[in-house]
């Protein structure tokens, strides 16, 4: 049954221009009542315009949509990705001590643990130098070649966990633009570089093209005879990794029930494991596992992924805000917004419901962001004074890792809290007038200047606060967002686990390649595409 947002929209309309500050004035416990904590992670959504009635109506959607049943269907290995006939079991990859999970009647956990043990062993030996380059020298650099989920997860987590890096340096190549691989490889020594080809399907054109370029680069240095020592693969397609010539002992496989954008927890996370070591990688998994347990067992009103999802639905489908900004006050979460763009937009950017009918409401929002404080000096102007409301999702840690720079972290945290306060409070025309009068402005000019300095306020935000960005905490945060996307998808009645919307562009790119090369005509192409082809063809190098 499709959910109906009419009652919620009516509540939103009744609230009218109500200021969020009024909600705080009416209820001195609002901050704690509109917050929840899970294993040390605090989610505060009190700076939104949701009240008890809205929350109750949102909670009711969970029952209508069958979130509890679908959650269990996911965890227990049912084929909830029904346009691809697949189970959705990224949670099995971090199920470090739970019981069996069956897919088609067969337990998958034993296989997961076997692969994890192989990864641990491989990473340990590379880090100790007992698995070495063709020359016998230890590997100093690792290049992960992959795109989408085979890139964003590892690169995001690698950047996030830099303080824990004590293995080879990692580099990431994703774009089929030769500039990317060129710029990454040019600083590296092929004699001491391990290349990991990360591709679930092992057919993705960008990845395979980059892998071939990396192979050519390596062959020049170590010859055909040395190449197998320098390549590992992470894939579900062992026939294809073999055809590429990768030693089966250096292939780490996974199953089709791990979606690309949910794959960092298994073999696709190998580069991260090489960088931080198996023990720290296990802590990352443990953080996610803790969030899985929380998601599965906590009551709705205490359940962080559920609350995050309800806030998302409230802002997007009820209030009609089309985007949400993810604003980590943590420089090392620099790739989190990009990671979440894939996670959220590839998962919930769908126009049809599970049954193939048109979605009767908007799909998931546009997700974007940048670490604070950089964003403050770029796009926060629009967030504070622009005509559109952008719900903001702040993330902040109590402590940084930098010894001797604690004062900088205090400044960072103050900035984060100040931004959500400013969004909430705003600045009235009277306050702006007083400021300008104190500066000596008068009359019409005072009025004009003051109006430019008004902040409407009443702009919603949430804050996710944690102690420190450890591997465990990162695992919690990423799994939190995964489950949030799941809950939103269930409420919207869509399949969050396929991605048919990426296919058309891929097909057309393949067809355009010979047209661009002058080997095929452009019959059937539109005028603009043909004009662009012709313009580019007239250019000579
Ligand atoms: O862009 C579509 C997509 O299939 C993503 O979902 C996926 O993460 C990415 O391409 C890479 O796919 P693969 O790991 O199979 O190379």
């Amino acid at each position: 049954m499709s959910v109906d947002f009419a009652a919620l929209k009516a509540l939103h309309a009744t609230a009218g221009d109500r200021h969020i500050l009024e909600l705080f004035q009416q209820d001195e416990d609002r901050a704690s009542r509109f917050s929840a904590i899970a294993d040390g992670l605090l989610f505060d959504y009190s700076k939104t315009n949701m009240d008890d009635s809205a929350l109750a109506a949102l909670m009711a959607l969970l029952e209508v949509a069958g979130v509890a049943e679908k959650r269990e269907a996911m965890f227990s290995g049912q084929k909830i990705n029904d346009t691809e006939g697949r189970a959705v079991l990224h949670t099995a990859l971090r199920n470090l001590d739970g019981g069996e999970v069956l897919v088609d009647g067969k337990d998958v956990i034993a296989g997961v643990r076997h692969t994890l043990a192989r990864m641990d062993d491989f990473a340990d030996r590379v880090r100790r130098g007992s698995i070495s380059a063709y020359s016998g020298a230890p590997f100093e650099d690792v290049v992960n070649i992959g795109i989408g989920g085979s890139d964003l997860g590892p690169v995001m987590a690698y950047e996030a966990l830099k303080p824990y890096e004590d293995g080879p340096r990692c580099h990431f190549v994703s774009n089929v633009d030769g500039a990317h691989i060129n710029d990454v490889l040019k600083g590296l020594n092929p004699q001491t570089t391990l290349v990991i080809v990360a591709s679930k399907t092992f057919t993705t054109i960008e990845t395979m093209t980059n892998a071939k370029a990396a192979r050519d680069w390596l062959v020049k240095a170590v010859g055909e005879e040395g190449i197998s020592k320098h390549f590992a693969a992470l894939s579900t397609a062992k026939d294809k990794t073999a055809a590429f010539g990768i030693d089966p002992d250096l292939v780490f496989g996974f199953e089709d029930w791990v979606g690309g954008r949910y794959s960092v927890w298994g073999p696709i996370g190998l580069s991260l494991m090489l960088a931080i070591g198996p023990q720290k990688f296990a802590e990352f998994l443990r953080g996610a596992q803790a969030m899985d347990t929380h998601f599965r067992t906590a009551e709705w009103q205490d359940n962080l992924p559920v609350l995050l999802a309800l806030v998302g639905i409230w802002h997007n489908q009820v209030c009609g805000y089309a985007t949400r900004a993810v604003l980590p006050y943590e420089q090392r979460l620099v790739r989190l917004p990009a990671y979440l763009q894939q996670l959220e937009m590839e998962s919930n950017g769908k126009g049809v419901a599970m049954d193939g009918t048109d979605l009767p409401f908007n799909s998931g929002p546009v997700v974007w962001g940048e670490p604070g404080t950089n964003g403050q000096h770029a796009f926060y102007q629009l967030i504070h004074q622009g005509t559109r409301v952008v719900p903001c999702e702040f993330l902040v840690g109590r402590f940084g890792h930098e010894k001797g720079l604690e004062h900088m972290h205090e400044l960072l945290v103050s900035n984060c809290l100040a931004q959500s306060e400013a969004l909430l409070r705003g600045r009235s025309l009277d306050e702006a007038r007083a400021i300008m009068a104190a500066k000596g402005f008068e009359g019409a000019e005072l009025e004009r200047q003051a109006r430019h300095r008004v902040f409407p306020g009443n702009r919603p935000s949430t804050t996710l606060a944690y102690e420190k960005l450890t591997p465990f905490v990162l695992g919690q945060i990423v799994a939190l967002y995964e489950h949030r996307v799941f809950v939103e998808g269930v409420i919207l009645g869509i399949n969050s686990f396929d991605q048919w919307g990426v296919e058309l562009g891929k097909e057309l790119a393949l067809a355009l390649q010979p047209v661009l090369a002058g080997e095929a005509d452009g019959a059937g192409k539109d005028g603009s595409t043909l004009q662009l082809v012709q313009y580019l063809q007239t250019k000579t190098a």
Side-chain angles (χ1 to χ4, degrees):
M1 181 165 74
S2 165
V3 297
D4 182 0
F5 297 118
L8 274 153
K9 285 189 174 168
L11 283 174
H12 176 53
T14 314
D17 292 336
R18 174 184 66 193
H19 203 291
I20 303 168
L21 275 175
E22 285 171 36
L23 296 173
F24 281 98
Q25 281 149 13
Q26 287 159 15
D27 174 7
E28 59 180 26
D29 296 329
R30 177 170 173 84
S32 64
R33 290 205 315 110
F34 285 75
S35 293
I37 297 186
D39 300 306
L41 214 56
L42 168 72
F43 177 58
D44 179 342
Y45 60 105
S46 60
K47 291 193 185 90
T48 66
N49 216 322
M50 281 163 59
D51 57 14
D52 287 312
S53 326
L55 192 56
L58 286 160
M59 295 271 183
L61 296 180
L62 300 168
E63 308 309 325
V64 177
V67 170
E69 299 76 33
K70 295 200 171 109
R71 177 184 58 187
E72 280 325 289
M74 175 173 74
F75 276 98
S76 63
Q78 290 178 40
K79 296 194 175 174
I80 60 168
N81 174 1
D82 77 348
T83 59
E84 297 184 302
R86 293 175 182 171
V88 174
L89 274 179
H90 45 281
T91 52
L93 299 176
R94 59 235 189 179
N95 178 345
L96 295 179
D97 34 35
E100 62 177 21
V101 176
L102 304 179
V103 174
D104 292 328
K106 277 200 239 135
D107 176 40
V108 301
I109 297 297
V112 164
R113 292 195 187 138
H114 174 71
T115 304
L116 184 59
R118 283 187 61 227
M119 288 169 63
D120 286 358
D121 178 60
F122 177 74
D124 251 343
R125 289 166 61 196
V126 169
R127 286 160 55 86
R128 281 190 280 107
S130 71
I131 290 182
S132 56
Y134 182 57
S135 68
F139 285 115
E140 287 174 3
D141 293 279
V142 171
V143 177
N144 183 86
I145 296 180
I147 197 164
S150 299
D151 168 67
L152 288 165
V155 72
M156 176 276 293
Y158 175 69
E159 291 298 330
L161 299 179
K162 272 280 172 68
Y164 301 89
E165 180 180 23
D166 56 3
R169 288 176 297 263
C170 292
H171 313 267
F172 297 85
V173 173
S174 52
N175 201 322
V176 76
D177 184 340
H180 200 177
I181 193 156
N182 182 66
D183 291 356
V184 168
L185 296 186
K186 87 176 166 211
L188 303 184
N189 175 2
Q191 302 284 357
T192 52
T193 299
L194 173 70
V195 173
I196 297 178
V197 187
S199 176
K200 178 176 168 178
T201 54
F202 229 71
T203 56
T204 305
I205 191 100
E206 291 91 337
T207 301
M208 300 327 296
T209 309
N210 275 317
K212 285 190 193 97
R215 193 179 191 287
D216 293 345
W217 177 75
L218 282 170
V219 164
K220 276 190 213 136
V222 301
E224 283 293 343
E225 60 285 9
I227 196 81
S228 64
K229 296 267 184 213
H230 286 253
F231 261 107
L234 320 172
S235 184
T236 58
K238 292 206 173 142
D239 51 335
K240 297 196 176 70
T241 60
F244 191 87
I246 296 178
D247 179 348
D249 284 346
L250 301 184
V251 176
F252 298 87
F254 55 106
E255 303 297 326
D256 69 3
W257 38 257
V258 180
R261 52 194 176 275
Y262 299 87
S263 62
V264 67
W265 316 103
I268 294 294
L270 184 64
S271 50
L272 174 67
M273 185 192 270
L274 285 161
I276 65 173
Q279 211 185 324
K280 291 279 178 284
F281 189 83
E283 287 171 25
F284 174 57
L285 299 186
R286 290 225 176 264
Q289 188 184 26
M291 186 53 69
D292 292 343
T293 305
H294 168 79
F295 176 47
R296 242 176 141 172
T297 56
E299 298 295 333
W300 293 147
Q301 69 273 11
D302 302 319
N303 197 309
L304 261 58
V306 167
L307 294 171
L308 226 72
L310 296 184
V311 170
I313 294 284
W314 169 255
H315 285 151
N316 184 20
Q317 280 74 25
V318 180
C319 303
Y321 307 144
T323 83
R324 64 174 161 241
V326 181
L327 305 166
Y329 277 68
E330 181 88 60
Q331 179 57 28
R332 294 194 177 105
L333 288 179
V334 61
R335 297 296 280 157
L336 184 71
Y339 175 83
L340 291 180
Q341 276 175 340
Q342 185 195 19
L343 180 66
E344 304 208 13
M345 294 163 77
E346 199 165 82
S347 297
N348 287 346
K350 310 285 163 66
V352 293
M354 284 295 245
D355 63 5
T357 55
D358 285 346
L359 207 63
F361 29 70
N362 280 323
S363 59
V366 177
V367 177
W368 58 286
E370 179 77 17
T373 58
N374 295 19
Q376 290 175 208
H377 297 272
F379 52 79
Y380 277 42
Q381 164 65 43
L382 180 146
I383 289 180
H384 283 290
Q385 287 189 316
T387 53
R388 292 184 180 88
V389 174
V390 179
C392 293
E393 303 194 346
F394 296 98
L395 292 98
V396 67
R398 174 65 189 97
F399 300 111
H401 289 81
E402 281 51 55
K403 295 260 173 326
L405 299 178
E406 289 81 1
H407 62 290
M408 296 180 76
H409 198 79
E410 296 290 297
L411 203 51
L412 183 74
V413 174
S414 322
N415 268 278
C416 179
L417 303 190
Q419 288 301 325
S420 68
E421 188 187 356
L423 286 167
L424 169 68
R425 188 171 295 281
R427 178 186 283 152
S428 68
L429 184 56
D430 279 348
E431 288 169 326
R433 279 192 193 113
I435 291 168
M436 299 318 286
K439 288 184 194 282
F441 286 89
E442 293 178 338
E445 185 58 4
L446 181 147
E447 193 64 15
R448 191 181 75 84
Q449 291 285 353
R451 284 185 60 78
H452 285 274
R453 288 158 174 83
V454 169
F455 289 65
N458 202 20
R459 303 217 154 171
S461 71
T462 62
T463 301
L464 186 67
Y466 48 88
E467 188 174 337
K468 190 172 176 177
L469 191 61
T470 60
F472 185 90
V473 167
L474 183 70
Q476 283 180 295
I477 292 174
V478 177
L480 166 63
Y481 278 103
E482 285 179 349
H483 295 319
R484 181 247 195 116
V485 167
F486 171 80
V487 175
E488 287 193 18
V490 171
I491 293 174
L492 297 177
I494 59 183
N495 182 358
S496 298
F497 299 102
D498 61 10
Q499 55 283 319
W500 299 110
V502 302
E503 293 304 322
L504 180 59
K506 288 186 196 171
E507 284 164 27
L508 293 178
L510 279 182
L512 268 168
Q513 225 180 329
V515 178
L516 207 52
E519 293 157 6
D521 66 26
K525 299 279 168 210
D526 62 87
S528 165
T529 304
L530 276 183
Q531 171 178 263
L532 290 166
V533 166
Q534 282 155 10
Y535 170 82
L536 293 169
Q537 281 174 335
T538 60
K539 303 291 157 202
T540 48

